[in-house]
Amino acid sequence: MTQSPSKPQAQLLSHPTSTNISTRDLIYTDWTLIEPELDPAKLRARETVFTIGNGYLGTRGSFEEGYPDALPATLVHGMYDDVPGVYTELANCPDWLSLTIVINGERFRLDRGEILQYERQLDLQHGILSRSIRWRSPIGNTVDLRFDRFTSLSDHQVLGLRCQITPIDFSGTIEIQSTINGYPDNQGFDHWEQLNRGKMGQAIWLQIRTRSSQIELGMAAKMTAVGTDAITQVTNPLDYPTLRTTFIATAGQTVGVEKVVTLFTSQDVKLPVQAAQAKLASLPSYPILLDAHQQAWKEFWQASDIEIEGDSTAQLAVRYNLFQLLIGACSHIMGECTDNSRVSVPAKTLSGLGYRGHVFWDTEIFILPFFTLTQPSLARSLLTYRYHTLDGARRKAANSGYQGAMFAWESAATGDEMTPRWSILNDPYAEATRIWCRDREIHISSDIAYAVWQYWQVTGDDIWLRDYGAEIILDTAIFWMSRVEWNAKHERYELCGVIGADEYHEQVNNNAYTNRLVQWHLEKAIAVYEWLQHTFPDRANELAQRLKITPERLQHIHEIIAQIYIPNDADIGPIEQFDGFFQLKDINLSDYEPRDRSIQAVLGMDETNQRQVLKQPDVLMLLYLMRDTPEFPGDVLQKNWDYYAPRTDSTYGSSLCPAIHAILASHLGKTADAYRDFMQAATVDLEDTRGNTADGIHAASAGGVWQAVVFGFAGIQLKDSGPVATPHLPPTWTRLKFKLSWRGTWHSFDLSPSFAQAADIQGFIFDVDGVLTDTAEFHYRAWQRLADEEGLPFNRQANEALRGVSRRESLLHIVGDRQYSEAALGEMMARKNRYYVESIQTITPKNLFPGAIELLQELRQAGIKIAIGSASKNARTVIEKLGIGNLIDAIADGDSVALPKPAPDLFLFAAKQIGLDPDRCVVVEDATVGIEAAIAGGMLSIGIGPATRVGAANIVRPNLIGVHLIDIQAQLKLAPAKTIQPTV
C-alpha cells in the first residue's frame, strides 16, 4: 500500500524444554517467544510484538505498572471516531491493565531501582502473555514479581490479569491498586466523553462515549486477593475508579491479585455498562476463565496450525504470524446489536495506531486466503464487511464521476474513502504532498472481487454468493464499465491515470496488473450473473433491476473483455508493467547499498517515478494471482522474474513484497532466494527489520507468510477436485503438516522432502585458516623468519605445500634433508610458534572472510552444531580474536589428537565433541589433506578453493560468499559419494 505521510510462589519463568533458538535478542521455541532482557530503546516495538487479543479487541504489550514513553493501547473492532477535519481512526480504549504496586512505601517501576532478572514470554499455544522480574528497590528491598494476562478467546468481552509478588529479603506491606484509565488518548487526541463511573460492591465500572461517532463503551472490573487474606477497598477519585488491596507479606510468601474485566460497546448491546456489570457478576473464577480460554486456543490450532520439523526458527515465526492474524480478525460475538460482519482486519490489525485502523487491499489479497482455507466462517465475515460498505463505495464512484461501486483505498466503518487528500505535515514550512492512491489505486475493486470468487470456489457457499458476493462482483463490474476509456486510434479499451500494485509510479497508463485483473473481473461477473439466472433467477432479476443490468450492458461487458488492452509480449520478453516503463531510466539497486530506507526516500518521489524500480511486485503479482491458469506458463514467470525481481525494492520498499517473491522463487526452484525472502517476511515484526513495528503488526506480510508456506513450499494448487500439493520444501525442513478446508471437507497434508532420503546434516566442522580467515599469511611470515634465521630455502610457493599440515610435519618439510636433533626441532617449532602468536594478536573480527559470519549465524539459528577442526594449536586464540566464540560449540586443535591430517582423527574428535556421528557432519576445508581426512572419516565435505586442490570434496566453492544452508543441503543430496582408495 502507499502509506499516507500521516501512514503457588511467584517464580521466574522457566524456558520450555523444546529446542531454543536465539535470534538477536529474542529466543524462539516451537510455541513460545521469549524476551530475556528489557531494552528501553525497543519499548514501543516490543509492545507491538507482545500484543494479545481475541478478534474482538487487541491489547498492546505495555507494562501493567507503566513505563516512560510507553504507548499502551486497547483497540476494539469498529470503534471508529473522527479527529475533526483530519481523519477517522480507531479510538484507543481505556487501559484495563493498569496496576500500581507499592512495596514498603516504594512504587515498583522498572525505570527505577535495579532489574536483577527479567523475562517476558508470549505463549502462542495458549494465548497467554507472562512477565517475570526480580527487582531491587532503590532502598534495597528485593522482590519477585510475575504477571500473566489473557484476552479470552472463549468469551470475547472478558479480560484477565494476574499479579503475584514474593518478597525475597524483607517483610512488609504490599499495596496493589487497580484502575480503569478513563482518559486514554490517540497520541494526544482524546476521543472520549466521560458519562459516568461508580462502584458496585467490590467492583468498579466506567461509562464513556466517543465524541463524534457516539459509540458508547462500558467497562467493569473486580480484583480478588490470592495467597492470603487481604482487604480490598473501592474508591472513585476523579475519573479513575480504583480497587486497592493491601497485604502484610513475609519474606518468601507469595501474595497477589487476580483482576477480571468486562467490556461492551453500543455496537454489541443497547446498554453496554449494564451488560458489563451483569457479565462481571456472573463470571466464574479466574482459573475457570483461563481454562476455557486455553481450550478455545486448542480448537483454533487444531484447524489452523502449521507444523514444521527441522527449522525451529521458521516454526515459531510462522506460528507467531498466524497468532497475530487470528487475534486481528473479527470474532464471533453474540449480542443484541452485534453484526461482526461490519468490521474487517486493519492493515496493522488491532496492535497499533499505524494507518489509523483503516482497511486496505491487504485483507482480501494477503490475509483472506488463510481464513478462507482454514477458518471459512471468519473469511465469510470479512468479505461481508465489503458488502456492508457497498454504499460507501457507490458514494465514492458517484463523487468521482463514475457508476457502480468503487471501493475506497482506505476504508473504515462506512466504506467511504478515508485516505487523506493531502499529506499531514508537522513542519509548518513544508509543502504538502498530494496522495493520489485515494483516486488512482483503483485495482482494489477487482482485488475484492478476486477474494469473493476464491471464497466461493473454496467453500461452495452458494447462499452467501447469492445474498452478498454476487452484488459485490456485479456492482464493481459496472464501475469498470464506466471507468475504461476507448482508444479510437488503437481500437481498444484502456485504463489511464492509475496506480498499479507497484506504488512508486503514479498516474500511469495501462498497468498490466490492473488491466488484466479488470478483464478477469468482468469475465467472472458474466459467469456469476449467468449462474444466478440459472440457480437463483429471482435474485438475478432483483439485482438486474436494482443495478440496471440490461442486455446492452452485458454486451458492453463482453466487448470490454474482448478489447481491453493487456500489455503482454510474453513470447518475446517480459510483460511491460505499464506504457513506457521500459523507456524509463534503468537502475541497479546494488549501487545504493548499504542503505536503511526505501529507494524512494533515497532518490525522492520524482526521480523514483522516472526509474525502472518497484516498491512491490506488480507484473509478478499478476502472475502469482493467475498461477493456476494456463495463461502464463513457467517460462513466462522465469522471464519476468529475471527482469523485475532485481528491480524491486524488496528490502525497504514494501513489507508486502518478500512473501510473494518467496512463493514465486520457490516455484522457480530458487531455494535460497525463496527461503531468504520467506524469513524476511516471517520476522519483519519479530526483528523490526523495517524499523516501524512500533506502529503495529504488518498484517499483510503475516498473511503472505501463510501463503508462502502453503502455496510456495507446499506447492498447493486449488483444483476443481480440491487442493493438490507439489512440495518443494526447504532442505532443512524434514516435515511440513497442515490442514485445509475445501467445500466442507478437511484435507490433511503431511509432506516430507521430495528426495527419497534427505541428507540429515546436524553439524559443521570448519577449518580456520583459508576457510574462516587468512592465518596462512601469519604462518608464512613466521616460517619465513625461521627459515631465514636457519639459512633454509623457503618461499611462498613452498608454503603452499604446508596448507593443512601440522606444525611438526611443516617443519620437517622445510628442513628437508638437513639433520637436526629432536631438541633442536622442538626449539625451532617453539620459536616459529612464538613468532606466529605475536603476529596473530592483531587479528580482529574484520579479518573474517566475507560470508563467514553470515553462514555461521545461519547455522546457529537453524540449530546446527558447529565445531572447529584445525591442526593449529593456536586455533582457540584465533577464534577468540575473530569474535566468534559464541557461535562455536567445540574446538579440536593440534593438541587434541596425535595423528595429523590426512588421518581423520581430528575431525572424528570434533564430531564426538559435539555429540554427532561422523555421517551427520560436514567438513569445510581448504586443503587437500583436509578433504582426504573428511572422506576417510566418512564425512561430507565442502572444499574452499580451486578444484585442483579440493576437487575431491562433495561441493567445491571459491569462498563462503552467498553460501546458504538450504543450498548446501540440496547440493549434498545430489552429490556423489566420495571414497579414498587405499594406498598400496
Side-chain angles (χ1 to χ4, degrees), residues 684-733:
V684 64
D685 290 310
L686 290 168
E687 298 183 359
D688 194 14
T689 54
R690 294 174 179 269
N692 61 355
T693 297
D695 296 335
I697 291 293
H698 291 81
S701 180
V705 167
W706 181 88
Q707 294 190 54
V709 174
V710 173
F711 297 136
F713 298 136
I716 290 293
Q717 292 179 289
L718 302 177
K719 305 291 188 179
D720 289 340
S721 58
V724 177
T726 307
H728 18 78
L729 307 184
T732 57
W733 292 16

Side-chain angles (χ1 to χ4, degrees), residues 807-821:
R807 190 184 307 166
R808 181 180 177 84
E809 293 297 320
S810 296
L811 178 59
L812 293 177
H813 184 86
I814 293 173
V815 300
D817 296 331
R818 189 176 297 188
Q819 298 298 311
Y820 285 89
S821 67

Side-chain angles (χ1 to χ4, degrees), residues 854-865:
E854 291 82 2
L855 179 58
L856 290 171
Q857 290 175 337
E858 182 177 329
L859 295 175
R860 171 62 69 207
Q861 292 186 12
I864 300 294
K865 295 287 188 179

